[in-house]
Amino acid sequence: MNDELAAIFETRETERLATGFVFTEGPLWHPDGFYYFVDVRSSVLYRIVPGRAPEVVRDKTGGGNGTTFDLERRLVLCEGDNRRVTRMGPDGRVDVLMDRYEGKRLNRPNDVVCKSDGSIYFTDPGLRVPLAERELPYAGVYRVGPDGSTRLVADFEYPNGLAFSADERLLYVANTRWAQYIHILELDAAGVFCTGPGGTWVFSPEGKRLGIIQTPEVPANLAFGGPDLRTLFLTARTSVYALRVKTPGLPHPAFRSTR
């Protein structure tokens, strides 16, 4: 770890919280003291309290992947195999948030974030859907408004992970296939963390790469969590890991009033 990168972290070693999965993804912190994450290829949604064994929240998620909350703190999940985005209430009821655009089935929803106005943004890459089964001609970033309206925000090669800047003016979208880079979409600053080749890439707000965090397994996704939001929670192949940082992440809009 170089000096610039070391200055960001409180600890240099990652802690393995749990292992034995196939492919972990979808990390999400809940202020009640636990993380959600998924095992994509086993189609299981888990909850884990650090120091305890993971608990199954929902199975048969249809390739559940990216997660977030809406402003009512309901869990939003990208179901890649089911080609839809759903929302689960506290009673466990699952409703479809979006599965079509202009009457055509989505490709394979991947990752999702919530904006403070209640709108939901998600990525929908198409390359893993057989050509004969694709109904939409593009790989898109979509917005679902608080009123249920939908629109295509952007269209490019393979949109994957996404995150807002602190002021929500910018939406960062990772392209993670042949050409690996991050798009910045201006919609109307702390550093930026992004999983990538070799580990977790860390960039300054100006786009300078500060370094790569290397972990025992290469992460597919990450989230800030812990009571002070200074724990980096990493979903990495067969395991989930934690690493302490000096600067906290941003709370989810649904929980900002509680901090």
Side-chain angles (χ1 to χ4, degrees):
M1 190 179 291
N2 61 41
D3 291 342
E4 284 185 301
L5 200 56
I8 296 173
F9 294 92
E10 184 177 291
T11 57
R12 289 176 176 264
E13 299 297 325
T14 55
E15 176 188 3
R16 177 181 281 164
L17 300 182
T19 191
F21 309 101
V22 182
F23 193 94
T24 58
E25 253 281 13
L28 181 65
W29 168 252
H30 194 293
D32 284 350
F34 61 86
Y35 296 94
Y36 285 111
F37 70 96
V38 302
D39 191 341
V40 177
R41 293 172 187 165
S42 297
S43 289
V44 180
L45 170 69
Y46 290 94
R47 176 174 59 197
I48 185 170
V49 175
R52 300 182 188 175
E55 303 173 2
V56 174
V57 176
R58 178 187 163 199
D59 59 6
K60 299 179 182 178
T61 62
N65 198 331
T67 62
T68 192
F69 298 108
D70 68 5
L71 293 188
E72 294 183 36
R73 304 181 182 181
R74 295 171 293 189
L75 185 71
V76 177
L77 177 67
C78 290
E79 299 182 10
D81 293 346
N82 288 339
R83 301 173 70 171
R84 65 185 190 177
V85 180
T86 60
R87 182 169 54 200
M88 184 175 71
D91 60 355
R93 173 179 167 176
V94 176
D95 296 312
V96 176
L97 188 62
M98 182 174 172
D99 63 354
R100 295 178 182 271
Y101 181 67
E102 297 182 338
K104 300 177 181 179
R105 289 188 73 192
L106 297 174
N107 292 312
R108 191 179 178 86
N110 186 292
D111 207 356
V112 61
V113 291
C114 178
K115 197 177 180 184
S116 60
D117 65 359
S119 55
I120 301 293
Y121 289 74
F122 69 92
T123 55
D124 185 43
L127 293 180
R128 293 183 61 194
V129 178
L131 186 59
E133 297 177 17
R134 294 182 209 167
E135 298 183 20
L136 290 167
Y138 32 69
V141 179
Y142 293 92
R143 177 185 184 271
V144 182
D147 60 356
S149 61
T150 62
R151 70 178 175 91
L152 178 67
V153 176
D155 165 24
F156 45 83
E157 186 183 37
Y158 198 97
N160 195 329
L162 71 174
F164 283 108
S165 61
D167 59 9
E168 296 187 334
R169 287 182 51 251
L170 305 177
L171 179 63
Y172 300 96
V173 184
N175 181 318
T176 56
R177 275 306 177 259
W178 299 287
Q180 301 198 11
Y181 49 87
I182 297 176
H183 294 274
I184 300 178
L185 306 178
E186 188 165 1
L187 299 177
D188 313 39
V192 178
F193 291 72
C194 174
T195 57
T200 302
W201 295 41
V202 184
F203 297 88
S204 72
E206 297 74 32
K208 177 185 176 183
R209 196 186 80 180
L210 302 179
I212 300 176
I213 308 166
Q214 295 184 334
T215 44
E217 299 174 85
V218 178
N221 209 333
L222 58 89
F224 285 89
D228 58 3
L229 293 176
R230 291 198 296 117
T231 298
L232 202 59
F233 181 69
L234 303 157
T235 51
R237 302 308 190 263
T238 69
S239 309
V240 290
Y241 297 87
L243 180 66
R244 292 287 293 169
V245 296
K246 295 180 180 178
T247 302
L250 296 174
H252 187 281
F255 299 99
R256 287 178 188 169
S257 62
T258 66
R259 287 181 57 81

